[in-house]
Amino acid sequence: MASSMDSSLAPFLDYLRYERQLSNHTINNYQRELLRLLPLLQQQEVQQWSELTPEHCQAALAKLHRQGLSPRSIALALSSLRQLIAHLQRTNQLQHDPCHGVRAPKQGRPLPKNLDADQVSHLLELTSNDPLAVRDRAMMELFYSSGLRLDELVGLDLNRLDLVAGQVKVLGKGNKERLLPVGKLACQWLQRYLQLRPNFTNATTETALFLSQQGRRISHRNVQARLSQWGQQQGLDARVHPHKLRHSFATHMLEASGDLRAVQELLGHADLSTTQIYTHLDFKHLATVYDQAHPRSKKRRNK
């Protein structure tokens, strides 16, 4: 049933398009979610925005859930409705917030998938002397050797790398620095890349460690594209991206050592529970290993 609520949709989409200048893709997403949700609100005999209550909104979300929509899709629908409500409030068409206290179903947090050791070895079997291939292998070796985030690798400067000591200093989240070991193979390929680095630029003032073909600091998108390309070229059946190498590093380190605290420090996590997200092991088991192994965290046992 049509209502005056429907007439608010077009001005809202125009606001997104002309004032916020969002992409057509994003605007279409808003439109799709609102067209999914508005009929469910109107089926509750709500014809005016002023009549809408949190109970109506929660009931509509529950209907979407019963229809089999995923928690993520329901959260997107609620987010779109919140944006429309905020627009109506800004334009003085609505005085209250009918979404106050409304919650979408809790979304599960899927564990990221890792490459096993054989897949990593196969990925890194690049023997080409082409400067781009050498650069790319050096990047992948460093990702896997030290568990870097994409931001951390792209942001690396030359003076942050010490191949003699086998270590690299990275700037992580919250501008926190951490010193990481660099493995022997990674050092070897980084050394090979540094010998070829002048092929990428004639400038002596460029401080970035990894450079693009244009002689500038390599971009996030370029790194992602190159890793994906090598994954396909090496015949891996899994998509390769920087975070997958970081996760593989964490998983393999933890499986081999059982040292949760060390892996936490290497990854730059502030909390142990965050480190657990990067593993396929049960956190209670990991916490038990930590409690039993760490000198200052050993549990007292009855004698």
Side-chain angles (χ1 to χ4, degrees), residues 51-110:
E51 300 170 358
L52 192 63
T53 67
E55 289 74 22
H56 293 133
C57 297
Q58 198 71 65
L61 297 184
K63 182 71 175 294
L64 292 178
H65 184 65
R66 290 194 298 273
Q67 291 174 355
L69 225 63
S70 69
R72 182 177 182 274
S73 296
I74 295 173
L76 287 174
L78 177 57
S79 176
S80 300
L81 181 61
R82 288 188 190 279
Q83 292 294 323
L84 174 55
I85 294 298
H87 173 69
L88 294 174
Q89 290 175 319
R90 279 192 302 271
T91 54
N92 297 318
Q93 299 177 63
L94 188 63
Q95 304 304 317
H96 71 293
D97 180 8
C99 289
H100 179 72
V102 177
R103 296 287 182 268
K106 188 175 182 180
Q107 300 183 53
R109 190 172 184 179

Side-chain angles (χ1 to χ4, degrees), residues 122-123 125-126 128 133 226-236 240:
H122 189 59
L123 172 67
E125 287 174 356
L126 306 182
S128 172
R226 295 296 293 183
L227 265 61
S228 178
Q229 178 181 324
W230 282 116
Q232 294 175 8
Q233 185 165 323
Q234 295 297 90
L236 269 67
V240 177

Side-chain angles (χ1 to χ4, degrees), residues 58-294:
Q58 198 71 65
L61 297 184
K63 182 71 175 294
L64 292 178
H65 184 65
R66 290 194 298 273
Q67 291 174 355
L69 225 63
S70 69
R72 182 177 182 274
S73 296
I74 295 173
L76 287 174
L78 177 57
S79 176
S80 300
L81 181 61
R82 288 188 190 279
Q83 292 294 323
L84 174 55
I85 294 298
H87 173 69
L88 294 174
Q89 290 175 319
R90 279 192 302 271
T91 54
N92 297 318
Q93 299 177 63
L94 188 63
Q95 304 304 317
H96 71 293
D97 180 8
C99 289
H100 179 72
V102 177
R103 296 287 182 268
K106 188 175 182 180
Q107 300 183 53
R109 190 172 184 179
L111 289 173
K113 295 181 180 179
N114 66 289
L115 302 172
D116 62 36
D118 289 338
Q119 287 176 309
V120 173
S121 295
H122 189 59
L123 172 67
L124 297 179
E125 287 174 356
L126 306 182
T127 57
S128 172
N129 291 320
D130 174 71
L132 280 177
V134 173
R135 180 204 64 185
D136 292 349
R137 175 157 181 181
M139 289 194 303
M140 291 190 288
E141 290 280 2
L142 187 55
F143 270 129
Y144 182 62
S145 166
S146 307
L148 270 62
R149 299 180 176 95
L150 176 58
D151 273 346
E152 293 168 348
L153 181 129
V154 169
L156 273 180
D157 286 335
L158 283 166
N159 61 4
R160 295 278 177 157
L161 182 66
D162 185 345
L163 293 181
V164 175
Q167 59 190 30
V168 63
K169 185 179 291 185
V170 301
L171 190 64
K173 288 185 177 180
N175 289 325
K176 293 181 179 178
E177 284 189 340
R178 68 186 192 281
L179 192 63
L180 298 173
V182 180
K184 182 179 179 181
L185 274 174
C187 283
Q188 291 174 0
W189 280 92
L190 284 164
Q191 184 61 53
R192 287 190 61 182
Y193 162 67
L194 289 175
Q195 293 170 355
L196 297 173
R197 185 177 176 275
N199 295 340
F200 290 85
T201 181
N202 294 320
T204 58
T205 56
E206 178 54 68
T207 62
L209 173 60
F210 292 109
L211 302 177
S212 68
Q213 286 181 286
Q214 289 73 39
R216 298 187 292 271
R217 185 181 299 274
I218 197 167
S219 69
H220 294 67
R221 188 181 297 271
N222 195 350
V223 175
Q224 292 168 329
R226 295 296 293 183
L227 265 61
S228 178
Q229 178 181 324
W230 282 116
Q232 294 175 8
Q233 185 165 323
Q234 295 297 90
L236 269 67
D237 57 1
R239 192 172 73 87
V240 177
H241 52 80
H243 188 70
K244 184 165 287 187
L245 286 178
R246 172 173 160 87
H247 174 53
S248 300
F249 157 83
T251 303
H252 299 164
M253 285 289 295
L254 193 55
E255 287 175 347
S257 68
D259 192 335
L260 182 63
R261 176 63 73 181
V263 175
Q264 176 196 4
E265 292 294 330
L266 290 169
L267 291 173
H269 289 161
D271 192 279
L272 281 173
S273 62
T274 307
T275 309
Q276 184 265 340
I277 297 299
Y278 288 79
T279 74
H280 295 284
L281 304 179
D282 181 71
F283 180 65
K284 290 183 179 179
H285 168 70
L286 296 175
T288 299
V289 170
Y290 174 74
D291 288 335
Q292 292 175 349
H294 197 285

